[in-house]
Amino acid sequence: MRTFDVLVIGAGAAGMMCAATAGQRGRSVLVVDHAEAAGKKIRISGGGRCNFTNLHTAPQSFLSGNPKFAISALKRYRPADFIALVERYGIAYHEKTLGQLFCDGSAQQIIDMLLAEMGKGSATLALQTSVEAIEPGADGFRVRLTSGLVFARSLVVATGGKSIPKMGATGFAYKVAEQFGVPVTETRPALVPLTFEPKMLESLRPLAGVSLDANVRSGKTSFREGLLFTHRGLSGPSILQISSYWREGEPITVDLAPAIDIEQWISEARIRSGRQSVVTTLAEILPRRVAELVVAEARLSGNLADLDRKAMARLIAGVSAWQVKPVGTEGYRTAEVTLGGIDTTALQSSDMQVKSVPGLYFIGEAVDVTGWLGGYNFQWAWASGRAAGLAI
């Protein structure tokens, strides 16, 4: 039976960061993953260029049952720290928008960098290796792998959540939590497109493929980014963002022209081109198919100048406060992350260790800390992995 100081289950962003950190501190580390390659979600992220962090990372950019839990790890490993690592490896990058940093080249560069960092600490990577059983002991854990038995003084679970099962995602972390009596909060798909019932889809079908800048609101939370009409419902960055806050049965409200004071614009348009049809006039600021949808839902016809006060109010509301009620999401199949997870009340925020089980750690997406779209979840992976790696 082989013995290690640390066994990390999961060769993703958080797991590799933890292994590299612990290994470079002189710990003997084994990283196992059932996949045939490390960092599979890193490889597909950001369209293959890896949106590896966000310059605006702050605790308020994360959802959790305990919003303060992430503060400790995020403060001790900031975006600047990961950027410095990227620059040491000569990886070229750029800011795309809203503080989002991407590789100029391939996301594989980030994976190679993490593997190199693991190598500096002589961490051992075992791919296509699954965990069959975990047995706690007085001073560590006996773990039966498909390759044989190992003993580790510390066990780190970095297997992520349920999102994108085709990449090998499972609920393994939650099963380990159950075994050790660690509570798990409700989990659900997040950063995911929203879907509609058939009748609504039929009315939206002509808009599939149309995109525009929009401000999308659910309750008191709103995001202004791109919106995309699809053959299933709505997608795009603003929709993915709001999906983490939306709940079944609730509507979302969309400002289809957030850069314009629509009431003032329509008043001026009535003077400038009141004899034009409402659709033609509205198509000056919206994609024509969207303008047609707004006019149809507001039950309008004729020219802009012919609208009475009530019709004008419906038109303004249709543009600035278009309200729709999704029936669901596309699920874990397309969700970028899993909302919820290992209950943070069971963990020490300083090092991600389970309070009731010394030596057991949960990091990354498996934990009930979920970031906004745009590199925030990677920064949480780096920060939580680093926190655990420094403590082991």
Side-chain angles (χ1 to χ4, degrees):
M1 181 171 62
R2 295 177 296 166
T3 298
F4 297 89
D5 294 320
V6 184
L7 172 61
V8 178
I9 306 174
M16 287 193 284
M17 174 59 83
C18 178
T21 303
Q24 290 179 32
R25 294 178 57 241
R27 307 297 188 263
S28 58
V29 182
L30 173 64
V31 183
V32 299
D33 199 299
H34 67 278
E36 72 281 1
K40 294 188 72 173
K41 287 186 74 173
I42 297 176
R43 186 175 294 107
I44 67 169
S45 69
R49 293 183 183 272
C50 188
N51 179 192
F52 56 81
T53 192
N54 194 295
L55 295 173
H56 306 313
T57 298
Q60 58 265 33
S61 306
F62 295 84
L63 292 81
S64 174
N66 176 7
K68 295 182 178 181
F69 178 82
I71 293 175
S72 176
L74 291 172
K75 277 189 173 181
R76 288 182 291 125
Y77 196 78
R78 300 174 183 270
D81 297 313
F82 194 77
I83 292 168
L85 179 62
V86 168
E87 291 177 344
R88 284 204 300 274
Y89 277 80
I91 299 173
Y93 64 91
H94 62 279
E95 181 182 352
K96 187 174 182 180
T97 182
L98 301 174
Q100 302 172 33
L101 300 189
F102 290 77
C103 297
D104 288 355
S106 169
Q108 184 63 43
Q109 294 175 289
I110 299 296
I111 298 172
D112 292 342
M113 177 189 75
L114 293 168
L115 291 173
E117 286 292 292
M118 287 169 56
K120 287 182 179 179
S122 301
T124 301
L125 175 63
L127 297 170
Q128 295 182 294
T129 303
S130 299
V131 176
E132 296 182 335
I134 301 172
E135 300 175 10
D139 54 354
F141 304 84
R142 284 169 53 94
V143 182
R144 188 167 72 247
L145 306 173
T146 50
S147 59
L149 276 174
V150 299
F151 176 83
R153 293 177 179 82
S154 297
L155 179 65
V156 182
V157 182
T159 53
K162 302 176 183 177
S163 58
I164 318 183
K166 70 178 181 180
M167 301 300 295
T170 69
F172 178 83
Y174 314 137
K175 293 180 181 178
V176 176
E178 181 181 11
Q179 177 183 347
F180 287 92
V182 179
V184 177
T185 70
E186 175 194 7
T187 57
R188 55 187 292 127
L191 302 183
V192 62
L194 300 176
T195 59
F196 298 103
E197 48 86 19
K199 186 176 180 180
M200 173 62 77
L201 279 180
E202 188 62 32
S203 67
L204 296 180
R205 193 178 305 279
L207 283 80
V210 174
S211 62
L212 72 166
D213 179 41
N215 190 81
V216 182
R217 177 165 52 84
S218 177
K220 297 181 179 180
T221 304
S222 65
F223 293 93
R224 180 180 170 182
E225 294 188 63
L227 178 148
L228 173 68
F229 291 88
T230 74
H231 63 284
R232 293 189 181 92
L234 295 176
S235 188
S238 62
I239 294 297
L240 300 187
Q241 296 279 37
I242 211 66
S243 70
S244 297
Y245 296 84
W246 173 81
R247 292 294 180 269
E248 286 81 355
E250 298 177 354
I252 60 171
T253 303
V254 183
D255 185 343
L256 297 166
I260 296 172
D261 181 332
I262 191 63
E263 185 171 0
Q264 180 181 341
W265 186 88
I266 290 177
S267 296
E268 294 172 352
R270 280 168 67 92
I271 298 171
R272 181 182 69 252
S273 51
R275 287 294 137 203
Q276 285 189 153
S277 71
V278 181
V279 168
T280 298
T281 305
L282 205 55
E284 295 177 13
I285 58 171
L286 294 176
R288 187 172 184 87
R289 281 180 282 174
V290 177
E292 291 170 349
L293 172 72
V294 170
V295 170
E297 290 195 348
R299 307 182 306 282
L300 304 175
S301 61
N303 298 329
L304 188 62
D306 298 331
L307 300 183
D308 60 22
R309 185 177 299 175
K310 289 184 178 179
M312 286 282 289
R314 294 201 303 274
L315 177 59
I316 292 168
V319 176
S320 62
W322 180 54
Q323 192 169 91
V324 287
K325 185 179 289 187
V327 295
T329 74
E330 290 190 6
Y332 289 114
R333 181 181 64 83
T334 58
E336 297 205 10
V337 293
T338 300
L339 187 69
I342 306 303
D343 195 328
T344 58
T345 61
L347 305 179
Q348 297 176 168
S349 62
S350 60
D351 60 8
M352 314 303 294
Q353 185 173 199
V354 176
K355 296 174 182 177
S356 60
V357 187
L360 177 62
Y361 299 75
F362 289 91
I363 59 176
E365 187 186 344
V367 179
D368 176 28
V369 175
T370 305
W372 291 351
L373 182 72
Y376 296 96
N377 287 294
F378 272 128
Q379 187 59 38
W380 170 244
W382 314 137
S384 60
R386 176 84 173 173
L390 288 173
I392 294 171

